[in-house]
Amino acid sequence: MDPSQLLKGVLDLAVLAVLREADGYGYDVLRRLRAAGLEDVADASVYGTLRRLFAAGALTSYVQPSEEGPHRKYYGLNKTGLDLLAESTKTWNHFADTMSVLLLEEAAA
């Protein structure tokens, strides 16, 4: 199974989870996702997800000057984002539990 196909369905949840730990700019979020084991995540997918979640009202943003280059746009979770993360986590856990049971039943057959 192609992991990138699985990732498409849960990238919002992964980005929200990363931002729960600390605010971050696009490349920082991408780096943290890859460090967590999502090596196949594409740059454009993460930047698009950040823009989409911001437009949906789940994230705050602010610009911070950088001594290493251009100013960076940081994203953080707001109340709507925290609520979305909690709801999505519950949905993911239910889905993962269901799949685990199905796969165990399949293996036992």
Side-chain angles (χ1 to χ4, degrees):
M1 176 175 274
D2 181 1
S4 65
Q5 295 301 313
L6 289 173
L7 189 55
K8 284 182 182 178
V10 295
L11 188 54
D12 285 13
L13 178 58
V15 168
L16 290 169
V18 164
L19 290 174
R20 177 187 53 203
E21 301 298 321
D23 293 356
Y25 54 94
Y27 183 72
D28 176 56
V29 171
L30 177 67
R31 183 184 52 76
R32 289 157 56 190
L33 288 169
R34 288 181 175 161
L38 300 176
E39 295 92 3
D40 294 333
V41 67
D43 300 19
S45 297
V46 172
Y47 289 109
T49 298
L50 287 168
R51 284 192 298 271
R52 191 167 33 72
L53 288 170
F54 179 75
L59 303 179
T60 60
S61 73
Y62 54 94
V63 176
Q64 189 164 357
S66 171
E67 294 179 9
E68 301 169 5
H71 298 335
R72 293 178 172 154
K73 185 174 185 177
Y74 279 75
Y75 294 94
L77 293 183
N78 58 22
K79 171 80 169 87
T80 301
L82 287 168
D83 291 346
L84 180 59
L85 175 61
E87 180 184 321
S88 297
T89 299
K90 185 176 176 181
T91 301
W92 170 258
N93 286 334
H94 175 73
F95 178 78
D97 290 346
T98 300
M99 287 302 298
S100 293
V101 169
L102 284 172
L103 293 172
L104 283 175
E105 289 174 357
E106 182 83 15

